[in-house]
Every structure is written in structure tokens, then in C-alpha cells.
Amino acid sequence: MLDIAVIEEPAAAEASLDPIRSRILAALTEPGSAAMLAGRLELPRQKVNYHLKELERHGLVELAEERRKGNVTERVYRATAASYVISPSVLAAVSPDPSRSPDQLSARWLLALGSRLVQEVGALLTGASRAKRRVATFGIDAQVRFASAADRTAFAEELSRTVATLVSRYHDESAPGGRNHRVVVGLHQIPAPHPGTEPAPGPDQEKEDRT
């Protein structure tokens, strides 16, 4: 079972978003048959069996084993991944395009960058999985609390300069056999954990989507 699988086919995405099927996927992190799932989810076995076949058809679940019980063969399934991400390629015609109106201070542009990140890394994972190879990536996740809007601006400017310096130092356009890599750095406020608890906007926060 994969840790994360990327859904790139519209039909598979539609199948995963069905409420019953998403419950079945969650339950199948532990292998189970239609009868076992019917008991766990308190659903009719016939309905569970139907949804299992649809999930299997789209590659979201797979046969783990078959058990013989008298004259009956019990099919035991498992999810193909512990969790799933739907690639923006599913909505290719309307997916965000970071090259359209790039703006470092736009939350919508940051979202477009994130969308492209999911799409590109998802495609790499899918290809690597088929070839049974690993994907070379690197990620940093950190939190910083700014005392003021001025500190946040200074941080963003220094970060931009540092990344630009690193890129110029290591980028080699003429390197034989070199491979292009994408560097994405984002900064955004962490959403409040519960509705209604987000602090009121400060004087430095703009009305629209600028961060």
C-alpha cells in the first residue's frame, strides 16, 4: 500500500468523492471483504459489493486475497493507498495557471503555485510508481510568528534575495545531462483551527487576497 496516491483520472476522482465510497476507502486501510465492510459501516452487503467493484475498476482498491469458505470464495480487498490526493489535472481546462498574472503578494497566485506543485509531483509519483523508482524531492515545513507587518515584509525580502542567490549559484543552463528542478517557496497565515476563532484583521491586512 502506498502512503499517498495521486488521482489523475476524472472518473476515478468522481468515484473517490462519492460519500459511501470514501467511507469504504477509509475503512480499507485494513483489508476487508464486502461482508466485513458491511458490518463495519452498517450498510447492506449488496450495496458495499457494488461500490467495491467500482472502486476496483478505477484502481482505488485491489484484491488482497481470496478465502475459501465452504462452497463460497470470499474476496478480501485493500485500498491501494493510505490517503489520496486529486490532481488539478482532473480539471485541466480550468486548473490555475501560475504564469497568468504572477504576483508574489497574491494569495490566489500562491494557490496556483500549490496547484501546479500537486500536479507536477503527482505526475512524477505516478511515473515513478509504474517504474518502481523513487522520486528525488526535498521539502521544508516551518512556522514563524511575526511581531509586525514590517517584520513580515523584511523576512519576505530577505528570503527572496537568499533564494535568488542560491539559484544563480547552482543553476547551470549548459550542464550536459542536467535536469531542471522547480523551487517553490510560500508564506501564508495559518488558518484558525475552528470557525469564529480567527483574529480580526490587522491594519496591515488588505481587503482582498494580498498577503
Side-chain angles (χ1 to χ4, degrees):
M1 178 187 291
L2 300 172
D3 289 333
I4 300 177
V6 181
I7 298 173
E8 297 178 301
E9 296 295 328
E14 183 179 359
S16 70
L17 292 172
D18 178 272
I20 293 178
R21 292 174 192 170
S22 63
R23 290 177 62 198
I24 291 174
L25 282 176
L28 282 179
T29 52
E30 297 279 340
S33 65
M36 295 166 64
L37 288 168
R40 290 181 200 170
L41 303 177
E42 299 181 346
L43 292 169
R45 177 177 175 175
Q46 185 176 7
K47 177 178 285 190
V48 171
N49 196 49
Y50 165 75
H51 288 299
L52 273 174
K53 289 180 180 178
E54 287 298 300
L55 289 169
E56 184 181 23
R57 186 164 67 91
H58 294 295
L60 300 174
V61 305
E62 61 188 4
L63 184 66
E65 63 175 310
E66 291 184 331
R67 299 171 181 169
R68 191 74 178 172
K69 291 188 175 181
N71 295 326
V72 177
T73 299
E74 183 181 52
R75 294 168 61 86
V76 179
Y77 293 89
R78 66 184 170 211
T80 53
S83 57
Y84 298 85
V85 174
I86 297 177
S87 171
S89 62
V90 169
L91 297 172
V94 291
S95 62
D97 182 1
S99 65
R100 190 184 306 141
S101 303
D103 180 356
Q104 285 186 312
L105 299 180
S106 169
R108 290 181 174 84
W109 190 61
L110 180 59
L111 196 60
L113 290 177
S115 175
R116 184 180 62 188
L117 175 69
V118 172
Q119 183 170 340
E120 292 184 344
V121 177
L124 287 172
L125 279 174
T126 299
S129 178
R130 291 170 181 161
K132 296 184 178 180
R133 300 179 63 180
R134 294 175 62 86
V135 178
T137 59
F138 172 73
I140 295 176
D141 181 23
Q143 294 185 24
V144 55
R145 186 179 182 88
F146 298 111
S148 66
D151 283 353
R152 184 181 63 196
T153 299
F155 176 89
E157 290 174 350
E158 185 175 348
L159 182 61
S160 296
R161 290 194 301 270
T162 301
V163 172
T165 299
L166 280 172
V167 169
S168 64
R169 182 185 304 166
Y170 289 98
H171 179 69
D172 189 345
E173 190 67 39
S174 60
R179 293 185 177 182
N180 288 328
H181 289 66
R182 193 182 300 284
V183 179
V184 178
V185 180
L187 175 67
H188 65 85
Q189 184 175 334
I190 300 173
H194 301 291
T197 62
E198 187 170 355
D204 63 294
Q205 291 178 292
E206 297 189 28
K207 295 179 181 179
E208 289 296 328
D209 66 336
R210 304 179 73 82
T211 56

